[in-house]
Amino acid sequence: MTLPKRVDDQAELSHESVREAEEIFNSHLKRVGLKHTAQRDAILRTFLVTRDHLSTEELHHLVKRRDEGIGFTTVYRTLKLLAECGLASEVAFHDGVTRYEHQYNRRSHHHMVCTECGSSVEFFSPEIEKIEKEIGRKHRYVTTRHTFQIYGVCDQCQTKKPKRRK
Amino acid sequence: MTLPKRVDDQAELSHESVREAEEIFNSHLKRVGLKHTAQRDAILRTFLVTRDHLSTEELHHLVKRRDEGIGFTTVYRTLKLLAECGLASEVAFHDGVTRYEHQYNRRSHHHMVCTECGSSVEFFSPEIEKIEKEIGRKHRYVTTRHTFQIYGVCDQCQTKKPKRRK
DNA sequence: ATTGCTGCAAACGATTTGCATGAGG
DNA sequence: CCTCATGCAAATCGTTTGCAGCAAT
């Protein structure tokens, strides 16, 4: 129900897309005087072929499949870099973990999260984009991004018994 | 333009409003079999006369002015209770701290946060409410709430020099 | 009395940093 | 070479929990 996903549009991002993302990343690195390393490359590539919202932990896990030796810290720091150059963005469901998703080729989608089971649905809502711009203009902000999440109880969980007070 | 009302209803919440909020809180306590205590009362009252978005820490600080002996943990737990009965709601700016704001008499407002200086602006956008409902219906969720935040750089910070890499 | 509450201190867990070693330009 | 990157371990920091004594019903 919550993982409509990724039949094949996602499993393999086109080579040009990957190339382009690497381009963006590399020039960002250059711009701020950082180095291009094998680890950063591996992390970016791993990240690009994911979907949904990964915690640093989860991405680290995936990255290790590609290269056993890469440490958590490096993934952590690289994710920050990716966020800086716009390839990744943080999504915070309210569960104490910071997640990232890749922003590359993905526009204006948002999440609705079930507060019972934690599953989530993606939806698109272009109006939100307009609202961001409009509010920004009104208050003289240069807006860079926004977050929009809906919380509720999914169809499945509605039929289960409610819980109370852990 | 973004603050339709509340000229003076905020500096000092009316007695009836406070009363009403206490009503809500107390009946929530009763409903779930919890007790009414002096601390909880003090915390609610302190909370009600705040504005903006307080971390547990900050509220604890304020509460201590009213009653020195109240501990952090109690504030923390009470805040959860307030959130449960709808008097408070969490707002998560992406800075690692959970903040709460009181929901009492406050409808459908959102925040735009400056990523440079951390200041924030409130705005109202009733469309968002509609979108929540609509998306919920579409995916068969019973929606309970949403979060919407815009991030950007405020007027002031735009004129300052950009910073890099802490 | 009984059950929940409080505050302290300790546990927790995600995130962040210091540092010695290794690699990129 | 010199600077930055890496990975580990340790530090941090907000949050959460266990518990012994206290208070509300």
Side-chain angles (χ1 to χ4, degrees):
Chain A
M1 63 336 196
T2 59
L3 298 172
K5 65 163 98 155
R6 175 211 293 245
V7 191
D8 52 31
D9 69 334
Q10 199 35 62
E12 213 55 45
L13 226 53
S14 76
H15 288 214
E16 312 86 72
S17 296
V18 173
R19 188 81 224 113
E20 201 180 320
E22 288 176 348
E23 214 54 62
I24 293 173
F25 189 39
N26 290 341
S27 61
H28 175 72
L29 290 178
K30 203 156 281 177
R31 177 158 18 97
V32 299
L34 304 179
K35 289 170 181 171
H36 177 219
T37 67
Q39 288 93 326
R40 286 179 175 163
D41 221 59
I43 294 167
L44 171 59
R45 291 186 189 193
T46 304
F47 183 61
L48 284 178
V49 296
T50 61
R51 243 253 212 193
D52 297 325
H53 335 94
L54 303 172
S55 62
T56 308
E57 171 95 22
E58 286 162 347
L59 182 60
H60 179 217
H61 209 82
L62 293 176
V63 165
K64 280 201 296 189
R65 294 221 283 249
R66 195 181 275 252
D67 180 341
E68 182 55 44
I70 296 183
F72 176 86
T73 310
T74 305
V75 174
Y76 164 76
R77 290 191 267 229
T78 303
L79 233 17
K80 295 233 142 176
L81 289 174
L82 292 175
E84 276 186 21
C85 65
L87 288 171
S89 65
E90 298 188 358
V91 268
F93 297 169
H94 283 155
D95 65 351
V97 203
T98 303
R99 291 157 199 289
Y100 292 83
E101 62 183 5
H102 59 98
Q103 203 53 28
Y104 191 67
N105 270 344
R106 316 203 62 208
R107 310 227 65 70
S108 205
H109 73 287
H110 303 97
H111 308 108
M112 179 156 61
V113 182
C114 175
T115 51
E116 292 294 316
C117 68
S119 66
S120 64
V121 173
E122 261 180 21
F123 62 90
F124 294 79
S125 188
E127 298 92 314
I128 302 287
E129 214 68 27
K130 281 184 281 187
I131 293 173
E132 176 190 314
K133 297 281 173 281
E134 174 194 323
I135 300 292
R137 203 173 331 111
K138 189 184 291 185
H139 295 272
R140 303 174 177 286
Y141 267 58
V142 174
T143 63
T144 51
R145 63 198 173 88
H146 64 260
T147 62
F148 179 43
Q149 268 121 237
I150 300 178
Y151 296 87
V153 180
C154 73
D155 204 16
Q156 305 218 332
C157 287
Q158 285 166 45
T159 64
K160 296 176 197 160
K161 70 178 91 257
K163 64 179 180 191
R164 206 156 198 300
R165 275 202 149 291
K166 130 157 96 169
Chain B
M1 54 340 204
T2 60
L3 296 171
K5 62 236 347 252
R6 170 182 353 183
V7 190
D8 52 31
D9 69 339
Q10 193 44 53
E12 211 55 45
L13 226 50
S14 76
H15 286 214
E16 313 87 70
S17 296
V18 172
R19 190 79 223 113
E20 201 180 321
E22 288 176 347
E23 213 55 60
I24 292 173
F25 189 39
N26 290 340
S27 60
H28 175 72
L29 290 177
K30 204 155 279 179
R31 178 157 18 97
V32 299
L34 303 180
K35 288 169 180 172
H36 177 223
T37 67
Q39 288 92 326
R40 287 181 175 163
D41 221 61
I43 294 167
L44 170 60
R45 291 187 188 192
T46 305
F47 183 61
L48 283 178
V49 296
T50 61
R51 245 259 211 186
D52 296 325
H53 335 96
L54 303 172
S55 62
T56 307
E57 171 94 22
E58 286 162 347
L59 182 60
H60 178 216
H61 209 82
L62 293 176
V63 165
K64 281 202 296 192
R65 293 222 283 250
R66 195 181 276 251
D67 179 341
E68 181 55 44
I70 296 183
F72 176 87
T73 310
T74 304
V75 174
Y76 164 76
R77 289 191 268 230
T78 302
L79 232 17
K80 295 233 142 180
L81 289 174
L82 292 175
E84 275 186 21
C85 65
L87 288 171
S89 64
E90 298 188 357
V91 268
F93 297 169
H94 284 155
D95 65 350
V97 203
T98 303
R99 293 159 197 288
Y100 291 84
E101 62 182 7
H102 59 98
Q103 203 51 27
Y104 190 68
N105 271 343
R106 316 202 63 207
R107 311 228 64 71
S108 203
H109 73 288
H110 303 96
H111 309 283
M112 179 157 60
V113 183
C114 174
T115 51
E116 292 295 315
C117 67
S119 66
S120 64
V121 173
E122 264 180 19
F123 62 90
F124 293 77
S125 187
E127 298 92 313
I128 302 286
E129 215 68 29
K130 280 185 279 185
I131 294 172
E132 176 190 313
K133 296 281 174 282
E134 174 194 322
I135 300 292
R137 205 174 327 112
K138 188 183 293 183
H139 296 271
R140 302 174 177 286
Y141 268 58
V142 174
T143 64
T144 51
R145 65 199 174 88
H146 65 259
T147 61
F148 179 43
Q149 268 121 236
I150 299 178
Y151 297 87
V153 180
C154 73
D155 204 16
Q156 305 219 333
C157 289
Q158 284 167 46
T159 63
K160 297 176 198 160
K161 70 179 92 255
K163 63 178 177 192
R164 217 259 100 283
R165 279 205 144 292
K166 126 151 93 154

